[in-house]
Amino acid sequence: MKVLVVGSGGREHCLVWKIAQSDRIKEIFCAPGNGGTESLARNINIPASDIKTLADFAKSEAIDLSVVGPEVPLVGGIVDEFLRRGLKIFGSREEVARLEGSKVFAKEVMAKFSLPTAEFRIFDDKRQAADYIRTRSAPLVVKADGLASGKGVFVCESTDEALAAIKIIMAERKFGDAGGRIVVEECLRGEEASILAFSDGENILPLASSQDHKRIYDGDRGANTGGMGAYSPAPVITEALNQKINSEILQPLISGLNNEGKKYIGMLYVGLMLTDSGPKILEFNVRFGDPETQAILPRLKNDLVEVMLATIEGKLDKVTLSWERRPCICVVIASGGYPQEYEKNKEIFGLNQTEKLPDTFIFHAGTRREKEKCFTTGGRVLNVAALGDTLDKAKARAYQAIEKIKFEKMYFRRDIGWRALQR
Ligand code: AMP
Ligand code: GLY
């Protein structure tokens, strides 16, 4: 088979790496890819958002299966376009990708199918939103409706902060059209965890649980980022909790959509807050999580291509996932300054010294290669994942590998996994 992976981050390098292990693979392409995907796939210089050119490429190369990493092409309808052209693709169609593309749509779906989530109100008028906020007591959460690279959510400890968030989203339009509407919701307290699941429209197949660290600094402090590290499994998700999530969230969502003629096919990511009154949905993503994927897939024993094909063909009831018992941890190495301003094009040293380390996987996120050298190109630069007999040992292994890597102003958190280790 010829496979095309769309995207350029650590998640996509990890997908390429896992797909490359399948017996069915003849050739892998990655668009646009990065300095890491290049060693396993042919990087194709087409941006992940350029749906038409990607479809042209897949058609002309006779790609057998395309796999989409990021949300932007999914929300933009890449799956519908590929299917129209008779191309096989793993991902969710536009009508359900809205679960991530519009927080208003997602909340409406949660309400319609009685899924547990924070109480909320929707506004398209900033004055009405401000009036409402003045009647509520803080803390409150204010969210821009559309895609905002994870930056459109404001957890506000005071009324003034919530009013400021409305101004940023709706008056200043910091996120453009994504700020046409907002969701104002109750602030939930608890521990966060993610559940990812394959769905073929009827059957749900959850992956091993995981947790990521969204904040930039140790102790989960500072600004929200795309994710600074992750681990799998998340010990906070017990078997009983898993069943509850399955029966109260995953199943009702998929069958509710199905009853409306909207089949959810692809990867579903549910961000959860585990509150005293049970798990509540924070968000839906319609794709693999980043960096959760880099902590989950090294533990998956199945052939990923087989599972993806079964998803597309509606045969997930015939698949059982099998997992490496050992936990996996993934630490993100970023450019100093991220998630705000940061510098690029720094040469990365020491990568070759990490190649032979046992049970250690280096996934590139924001890198490019130039002959023998490797340079930074983004905020999140590298993901160092490691398996270990215990989470502690996995963590030690990942940080030992990081010791060998150097670039100017490199930054990483030193406490990935702390919640699980504290248990
Ligand atoms: P989202 O993109 O909606 O998942 O929001 C990003 C982050 O904001 C989440 O990972 C949470 O840390 C936080 N968050 C979102 N909604 C809430 C809420 N209702 N209560 C508390 N924290 C929230
Ligand atoms: N790690 C969170 C996400 O992928 O959205």
Side-chain angles (χ1 to χ4, degrees):
M1 285 177 73
K2 284 164 107 179
V3 173
L4 167 67
V5 174
V6 176
S8 62
R11 165 185 53 208
E12 286 76 19
H13 185 189
C14 184
L15 286 167
V16 165
W17 167 81
K18 185 68 187 164
I19 288 168
Q21 293 164 28
S22 169
D23 291 337
R24 305 179 62 143
I25 295 304
K26 197 174 100 203
E27 196 172 9
I28 308 178
F29 300 86
C30 193
N34 61 38
T37 59
E38 203 178 290
S39 59
L40 298 163
R42 222 169 89 200
N43 283 354
I44 304 297
N45 192 14
I46 307 172
S49 54
D50 189 349
I51 293 172
K52 192 179 165 300
T53 311
L54 288 168
D56 290 344
F57 172 78
K59 199 82 200 171
S60 69
E61 271 296 334
I63 298 289
D64 299 294
L65 174 67
S66 298
V67 177
V68 189
E71 63 275 20
V72 169
L74 290 167
V75 171
I78 189 171
V79 172
D80 307 69
E81 178 66 18
F82 273 52
L83 294 177
R84 262 197 296 278
R85 299 211 205 174
L87 292 159
K88 212 175 257 190
I89 184 162
F90 178 89
S92 41
R93 299 180 78 127
E94 196 177 352
E95 61 180 9
V96 289
R98 289 180 69 205
L99 287 171
E100 179 164 1
S102 164
K103 291 201 185 283
V104 168
F105 176 73
K107 292 300 284 197
E108 285 169 350
V109 165
M110 292 180 222
K112 188 161 48 177
F113 302 146
S114 307
L115 309 178
T117 188
E119 273 182 44
F120 68 99
R121 289 279 298 270
I122 294 163
F123 295 95
D124 58 11
D125 181 281
K126 48 184 184 293
R127 262 188 218 102
Q128 283 172 12
D131 287 346
Y132 172 73
I133 279 173
R134 288 196 192 92
T135 68
R136 303 287 301 205
S137 47
L140 284 172
V141 182
V142 179
K143 301 182 174 184
D145 177 38
L147 290 181
S149 313
K151 299 190 183 89
V153 173
F154 295 78
V155 179
C156 307
E157 297 301 334
S158 69
T159 305
D160 281 348
E161 264 180 59
L163 293 170
I166 294 181
K167 190 160 166 246
I168 293 167
I169 300 170
M170 297 188 97
E172 293 165 11
R173 287 296 175 111
K174 175 140 183 236
F175 312 107
D177 287 345
R181 289 189 292 177
I182 57 166
V183 175
V184 178
E185 67 181 33
E186 163 200 14
C187 188
L188 301 172
R189 300 289 184 200
E191 196 168 330
E192 279 183 56
S194 331
I195 286 292
L196 280 74
F198 290 99
S199 167
D200 65 8
E202 285 179 22
N203 306 289
I204 285 271
L205 193 59
L207 278 74
S209 62
S210 62
Q211 253 172 321
D212 82 344
H213 294 267
K214 288 214 167 84
R215 305 296 194 94
I216 185 72
Y217 299 127
D218 283 15
D220 293 326
R221 288 174 300 108
N224 259 326
T225 69
M228 293 302 293
Y231 48 95
S232 170
V236 64
I237 303 216
T238 57
E239 191 42 45
L241 193 50
N242 237 331
Q243 281 178 19
K244 200 173 162 72
I245 293 165
N246 208 35
S247 63
E248 290 179 11
I249 296 174
L250 298 176
Q251 290 296 350
L253 171 67
I254 298 304
S255 41
L257 290 170
N258 200 6
N259 291 340
E260 293 186 345
K262 297 187 184 116
K263 271 198 192 293
Y264 193 103
I265 299 172
M267 175 54 54
L268 172 69
Y269 171 126
V270 186
L272 296 166
M273 186 71 88
L274 307 174
T275 72
D276 290 342
S277 51
K280 296 199 174 172
I281 305 166
L282 291 175
E283 64 166 341
F284 292 126
N285 293 326
V286 296
R287 51 174 174 80
F288 285 92
D290 186 346
E292 289 92 329
T293 302
Q294 296 90 298
I296 293 174
L297 290 187
R299 299 185 58 229
L300 179 67
K301 290 186 179 166
N302 300 60
D303 179 330
L304 182 61
V305 175
E306 300 282 357
V307 184
M308 287 178 163
L309 290 172
T311 305
I312 295 171
E313 289 159 9
K315 294 180 183 158
L316 273 183
D317 52 333
K318 307 222 163 45
V319 180
T320 311
L321 296 180
S322 108
W323 297 99
E324 156 81 52
R325 181 196 53 78
R326 294 179 299 165
C328 185
I329 201 162
C330 168
V331 181
V332 172
I333 305 180
S335 301
Y338 172 81
Q340 277 84 39
E341 296 284 292
Y342 55 83
E343 293 168 32
K344 296 182 193 173
N345 293 316
K346 305 290 181 197
E347 185 173 352
I348 305 168
F349 300 97
L351 282 174
N352 52 355
Q353 291 179 51
T354 62
E355 274 159 18
K356 295 208 172 64
L357 296 174
D359 290 325
T360 307
F361 316 94
I362 312 289
F363 299 118
H364 291 226
T367 74
R368 73 181 160 82
R369 265 188 211 284
E370 214 177 279
K371 299 197 179 98
E372 298 304 298
K373 294 183 175 178
C374 197
F375 296 89
T376 68
T377 61
R380 290 192 290 175
V381 176
L382 292 163
N383 308 154
V384 179
L387 290 162
D389 284 331
T390 60
L391 191 60
D392 231 344
K393 287 186 179 155
K395 179 178 174 184
R397 197 168 260 156
Y399 282 99
Q400 271 158 22
I402 291 179
E403 298 260 301
K404 303 190 186 299
I405 300 169
K406 297 261 168 322
F407 60 87
E408 209 187 302
K409 298 191 181 158
M410 99 178 206
Y411 172 78
F412 56 92
R413 276 180 59 165
R414 293 178 186 273
D415 67 342
I416 300 305
W418 71 269
R419 278 180 203 277
L421 291 168
Q422 214 174 47
R423 267 168 192 271

